C-alpha cells in the first residue's frame, strides 16, 4: 500500500508584521521555556517601546510562525566616534522545529539584513558552539570590550560586516531596554562558570630570505591587525647582541650564516623570540615574528614543533617569495656589512636559504619580486581578511594558498 502524498511547503523568512507581536512573544516564551509575560516577553516589549528594534524577522511555514530573530540598535564607544551597531537578541525557534535549520536560516537572514542596513558589526551573547559556526567570532581578541563582566567572555561574540573599519574598537554599550529588564549577562550564581583565561592571540610568522622585504610586510601586517600586533624582529632585538658576541668570539662581523653561527647564536636568538612571543600572546596581544626561519618553514615536523613551542594555534605563516637575482641586487643596494659573507658566497647562501622554494606547510605567499608598497598593503589586507574568515577554535595553523 502506497503512503499518501505529502506536500512540503518551503519555509519563508520575512519581516514580522505589527499584528503578529503576540504570536512572536508566545513563540519566544515557549522556545526559552518561560511563562507568558516572562522576562523575555518584557525584554521584547521594552525594546519595541524604546524604538531600539531595527529588524524583527520571522520564519513562517504556511501561516504559522516557527522562528524569530531580532536586531536591536546599540553603540560601540570607539575612540574616534560613537558607532551605531546591532545586537542580535533574541533568536527563537519553535521547539517542534528545532534542529531543522530554522535557526541557521534566521541568523543568515539577520546578517543579510544588517548588511542592508549598513551596520558595521552585529554583536550577541550566546553559545560559541552554535554561533561560532554561523558567522560569529570571539569579540574580545578583536579589541572589543563586554558591556558587563557578567557576560562570560566566550559568549561575547561579533560578526564583522563590510561597513566595518579597523578604528571601530572599544566597549559595546547596550541600549537602555536591556538594562531596564536586567537582561545583561548572568545573574544566577549556579550558572556562572569559573573565569576563563583568554585564548592566546594569534602569532604571525613573516619568513623569507634576508633582503626579501620582511620588515615592510611585518609593519603593514601589524597595523592591519585588530588589535595592532607587537612586532618582534630578530634584527631589531638581537643585532647589537650578535655583533658583540661575534667580536668576543673573534668571528667576522658578517658571519650571519653557517654551522658556528647556527649553533652558538641563531638557536638562542630564535629561542628568545619564541619565549617572548609566547608570553606576549598569552595576554591577548597578537605577535608578528620576523626572521628567515628557513629550517622551521621547510620541514613539516620542525614547523609543528615550532608552533607548539609558540603555544599552539593560531599561528599563521606569511612567506615572502623572491628570486635569487632580485635578492642579490637588493643585498647589494642595502649595503649592510652584515651581508658581506652572504654576497661573498652567494651560491651557497641561496642553496641554504631556498628563496624560490615554497614551504611544504600551510602558508600565505607574498610575491615580493617587484616593488610597490601599495600593492603590498592590499595583499596584506587580503591575507588578514582571509585569516579572519577561518573558523575559530580548531582552525589550521595557517591557510594554504597564494594571495
Amino acid at each position: 500500500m502506497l503512503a499518501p502524498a505529502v506536500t512540503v511547503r518551503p519555509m519563508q523568512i520575512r519581516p514580522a508584521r505589527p499584528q503578529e507581536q503576540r504570536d512572536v512573544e508566545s513563540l519566544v516564551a515557549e522556545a526559552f521555556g518561560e511563562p507568558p509575560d516572562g522576562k523575555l516577553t518584557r525584554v521584547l516589549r521594552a525594546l519595541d517601546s524604546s524604538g531600539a528594534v531595527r529588524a524583527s524577522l520571522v520564519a513562517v511555514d504556511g501561516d504559522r510562525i516557527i522562528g524569530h530573530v531580532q536586531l536591536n540598535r546599540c553603540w560601540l564607544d570607539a575612540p574616534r566616534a560613537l558607532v551605531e551597531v546591532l545586537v542580535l537578541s533574541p533568536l527563537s525557534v519553535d521547539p517542534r522545529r528545532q534542529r531543522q535549520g530554522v535557526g541557521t536560516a534566521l541568523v543568515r537572514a539577520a546578517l543579510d539584513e544588517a548588511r542592508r542596513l549598513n551596520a558595521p558589526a552585529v554583536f550577541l551573547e550566546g553559545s560559541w558552539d552554535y554561533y561560532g559556526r554561523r558567522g560569529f567570532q570571539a569579540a574580545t581578541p578583536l579589541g572589543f570590550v563586554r558591556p558587563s563582566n557578567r557576560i562570560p567572555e566566550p559568549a561575547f561574540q561579533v560578526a564583522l560586516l563590510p561597513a566595518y573599519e579597523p578604528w571601530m574598537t572599544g566597549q559595546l554599550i547596550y541600549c537602555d531596554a536591556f538594562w531596564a529588564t536586567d537582561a545583561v549577562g548572568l545573574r544566577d550564581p549556579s550558572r556562572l562558570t569559573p573565569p576563563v583565561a583568554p585564548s592566546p592571540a594569534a602569532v604571525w610568522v613573516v619568513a623569507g630570505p634576508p633582503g626579501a622585504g620582511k620588515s615592510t610586510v611585518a609593519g603593514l601586517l601589524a597595523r592591519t591587525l585588530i588589535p595592532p600586533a607587537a612586532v618582534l624582529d630578530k634584527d631589531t632585538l638581537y643585532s647589537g647582541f650578535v655583533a658583540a658576541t661575534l667580536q668576543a668570539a673573534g668571528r667576522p662581523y658578517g658571519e650571519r650564516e653557517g654551522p658556528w653561527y647556527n649553533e652558538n647564536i641563531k638557536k638562542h636568538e630564535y629561542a628568545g623570540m619564541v619565549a617572548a612571543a609566547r608570553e606576549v600572546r598569552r595576554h591577548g596581544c597578537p605577535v608578528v615574528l620576523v626572521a628567515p626561519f628557513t629550517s622551521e618553514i621547510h620541514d613539516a615536523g620542525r614547523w609543528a614543533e615550532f608552533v607548539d613551542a609558540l603555544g599552539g594555534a593560531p599561528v599563521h605563516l606569511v612567506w615572502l617569495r623572491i628570486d635569487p637575482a632580485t635578492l642579490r641586487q637588493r643585498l647589494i643596494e642595502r649595503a649592510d656589512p652584515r651581508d658581506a659573507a652572504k654576497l661573498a658566497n652567494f651560491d651557497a647562501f641561496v642553496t641554504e636559504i631556498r628563496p624560490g622554494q615554497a614551504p611544504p606547510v600551510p602558508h600565505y605567499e607574498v610575491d615580493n619580486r617587484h616593488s610597490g608598497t601599495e600593492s603590498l598593503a592590499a595583499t596584506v589586507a587580503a591575507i588578514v581578511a582571509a585569516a579572519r574568515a577561518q573558523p575559530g577554535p580548531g582552525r589550521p595553523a595557517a591557510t594554504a594558498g597564494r594571495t
Side-chain angles (χ1 to χ4, degrees):
M1 181 177 178
L2 294 176
V6 177
T7 301
V8 179
R9 292 184 298 267
M11 177 182 66
Q12 179 190 7
I13 296 178
R14 58 166 174 76
R17 297 163 183 159
Q19 64 269 28
E20 294 172 326
Q21 184 63 24
R22 286 290 182 182
D23 293 333
V24 168
E25 291 175 2
S26 296
L27 170 76
V28 172
E30 186 177 8
F32 282 88
E34 291 191 353
D37 295 324
K39 184 173 185 175
L40 277 173
T41 300
R42 296 194 299 273
V43 173
L44 286 171
R45 292 175 181 172
L47 288 166
D48 185 56
S49 64
S50 68
V53 180
R54 285 292 175 265
S56 178
L57 306 176
V58 290
V60 295
D61 183 354
D63 58 358
R64 189 164 64 90
I65 295 176
I66 60 172
H68 169 261
V69 67
Q70 191 160 295
L71 295 172
N72 310 288
R73 179 183 63 173
C74 293
W75 297 270
L76 189 66
D77 189 12
R80 188 185 299 179
L82 199 62
V83 180
E84 184 172 312
V85 294
L86 297 175
V87 168
L88 189 154
S89 179
L91 171 67
S92 312
V93 176
D94 185 322
R96 294 172 291 276
R97 295 299 300 268
Q98 292 177 3
R99 300 185 183 278
Q100 296 178 23
V102 179
T104 298
L106 283 166
V107 172
R108 186 183 303 120
L111 292 178
D112 287 344
E113 179 65 9
R115 293 185 189 94
R116 191 190 70 79
L117 293 169
N118 204 37
V122 177
F123 292 84
L124 58 79
E125 298 177 36
S127 163
W128 168 255
D129 289 338
Y130 186 84
Y131 291 101
R133 299 194 300 271
R134 291 165 174 82
F136 287 80
Q137 57 186 318
T140 301
L142 298 177
F144 302 110
V145 180
R146 293 168 289 168
S148 167
N149 289 332
R150 291 185 291 105
I151 302 173
E153 193 161 288
F156 180 46
Q157 297 171 62
V158 65
L160 300 179
L161 305 180
Y164 171 79
E165 296 182 27
W167 62 266
M168 297 176 181
T169 59
Q171 184 165 23
L172 177 63
I173 307 297
Y174 275 152
C175 58
D176 288 344
F178 286 123
W179 299 107
T181 54
D182 195 13
V184 180
L186 302 176
R187 286 285 184 198
D188 183 357
S190 67
R191 296 175 60 198
L192 287 170
T193 55
V196 179
S199 301
V203 175
W204 293 78
V205 177
V206 179
K214 295 187 298 297
S215 295
T216 300
V217 170
L220 290 168
L221 182 58
R223 292 192 295 274
T224 304
L225 291 170
I226 304 170
V231 177
L232 302 180
D233 187 309
K234 182 174 80 72
D235 289 342
T236 303
L237 293 172
Y238 290 109
S239 181
F241 171 79
V242 170
T245 303
L246 290 170
Q247 184 179 22
R251 313 292 297 193
Y253 177 81
E255 185 178 355
R256 308 296 170 114
E257 300 291 337
W260 187 91
Y261 171 82
N262 292 345
E263 177 61 27
N264 293 282
I265 295 180
K266 187 167 78 173
K267 76 175 186 181
H268 300 294
E269 290 179 291
Y270 283 7
M273 293 178 72
V274 166
R278 185 169 183 144
E279 177 70 13
V280 171
R281 73 183 298 218
R282 186 170 67 84
H283 297 287
C285 178
V287 179
V288 177
L289 284 180
V290 190
F293 292 116
T294 307
S295 299
E296 287 76 10
I297 68 173
H298 286 289
D299 183 296
R302 291 195 66 173
W303 174 254
E305 292 173 359
F306 184 56
V307 170
D308 185 60
L310 285 167
V315 176
H316 306 286
L317 171 58
V318 179
W319 174 68
L320 274 65
R321 176 186 288 275
I322 191 168
D323 61 275
T326 303
L327 176 60
R328 187 173 190 278
Q329 185 60 35
R330 288 186 183 174
L331 291 177
I332 292 172
E333 289 174 355
R334 77 179 188 178
D336 191 325
R338 294 174 299 176
D339 297 330
K342 301 180 183 71
L343 290 168
N345 302 281
F346 189 71
D347 290 342
F349 168 65
V350 167
T351 300
E352 172 69 22
I353 206 73
R354 292 171 269 185
Q357 182 180 335
V361 298
H363 66 279
Y364 297 100
E365 179 181 321
V366 175
D367 190 337
N368 203 23
R369 287 174 287 188
H370 307 287
S371 309
T373 305
E374 247 183 63
S375 61
L376 272 182
T379 299
V380 168
I383 288 173
V384 172
R388 186 179 289 152
Q390 292 300 308
R395 64 182 157 194
T399 301
R402 178 172 176 175
T403 301

